[in-house]
Structures are given as structure tokens and as C-alpha cells.
Amino acid sequence: MTNSLHEIAADYIDADDDIKEIEEQLKEAKAHKARVEEVLFTAMIDEGAPSVEVFISGSKSRAKVYPINKLYARRDPGIDVEAFCRLVTDAGYGDIVKESVNTNSLSAIVRELAEEAGVRDSGPTAIAEKLPTALAAAIKISTAPTLSIKRS
């Protein structure tokens, strides 16, 4: 293995480390924002302030912060998915009901079947040949070369 190859691999690992560091910083920033949001929201409600206008640090522009209540609706976990979809359809909102398959789960199943058949790295055609015929005809299998890092 050439020195250059080692340098490129080290650069790849450094980039991976940079991503992990930035993701951690983003996680911390989101947690900080959530804490500040709770304090600010409560203070604005307590003081009856409909909004707060501030100058943005390092710029000449302003921003206005105001409280809102976002509304979210989702299926009650105690109601069966199919029954819920029928209820929504019967209520006249069938256009928002979509039957779907989680592609990450489907990919995991196909990977598992390919590994069991010993064709995991043999390419999409070889993998499709080992799947149930109807399933193979209904899905598109593709592969993407990537690298994995195993730390020790």
C-alpha cells in the first residue's frame, strides 16, 4: 500500500470525524435552542408580550419572535392502522391516505435475504434472482459503493 493511499484514508477518517463533531455541535445547539425557547415562550406569555423584536448580532437586520401554538395530529396508537385509514377515508379525506413501505426496512430485508443466499456482494441481478419472484419483479435493487470505518 502506498503512502498516498494511507494519506487519503486518513483524510477520509478526518472528514468522518469532522462530520461527527458537527453533528454533535448541532445536537447541542438544538438542545440549547429548546431550553431558551421554553424560557422565552413562558416569559412572553407571563408578560403578555405578543412579540419581541431584536437586532440580529453582527448585522443591521432585525427579527421578530412571537409565540404560536403548532397543531399536530396523528393516529392514536390504540387504533389499528387499517381501521384508522378507513376512518379517515370515510370522513371524506381518503386523498391523504397512502399505503407505503418503509424503504429502509425493505432494504434491510433484501440485504438479509441476499446474505442468507450468499449473494450479498454479487450485484443487483444475482440478488434479485434469489428473491421471491413477485417481490423481485416489484422492486428495484441498486448498490452504491461506499466506505466503512472500523475503529479500534
Side-chain angles (χ1 to χ4, degrees):
M1 216 173 331
T2 66
N3 223 9
S4 176
L5 193 56
H6 282 96
E7 290 170 0
I8 296 168
D11 189 35
Y12 179 77
I13 291 169
D14 288 345
D16 187 65
D17 289 343
D18 290 346
I19 290 169
K20 287 179 181 172
E21 183 179 328
I22 291 167
E23 286 173 341
E24 183 59 33
Q25 289 173 354
L26 179 61
K27 182 180 169 184
E28 290 170 7
K30 285 181 176 183
H32 176 73
K33 180 184 174 190
R35 289 188 304 272
V36 173
E37 179 179 37
E38 185 177 338
V39 171
L40 180 59
F41 188 89
T42 301
M44 290 177 73
I45 298 300
D46 289 349
E47 294 183 24
S51 65
V52 176
E53 192 167 354
V54 296
F55 283 97
I56 299 173
S57 301
S59 86
K60 294 181 180 184
S61 58
R62 297 182 293 191
K64 186 182 279 190
V65 179
Y66 52 95
I68 61 170
N69 285 316
K70 286 188 177 182
L71 187 143
Y72 299 95
R74 61 181 58 132
R75 176 183 58 86
D76 183 316
I79 296 178
D80 176 68
V81 174
E82 287 182 28
F84 179 72
C85 290
R86 278 192 306 278
L87 289 168
V88 172
T89 300
D90 292 348
Y93 302 102
D95 58 317
I96 67 168
V97 175
K98 307 268 187 276
E99 191 169 341
S100 66
V101 174
N102 182 300
T103 56
N104 287 335
S105 296
L106 178 62
S107 295
I109 290 168
V110 171
R111 270 193 306 274
E112 185 177 308
L113 292 171
E115 286 173 12
E116 288 173 2
V119 294
R120 169 72 171 86
D121 296 317
S122 301
T125 304
I127 294 169
E129 290 171 354
K130 298 298 181 180
L131 298 177
T133 307
L135 180 61
I139 63 174
K140 179 180 185 269
I141 300 170
S142 60
T143 60
T146 187
L147 297 173
S148 180
I149 299 173
K150 189 174 189 175
R151 298 178 187 272
S152 54

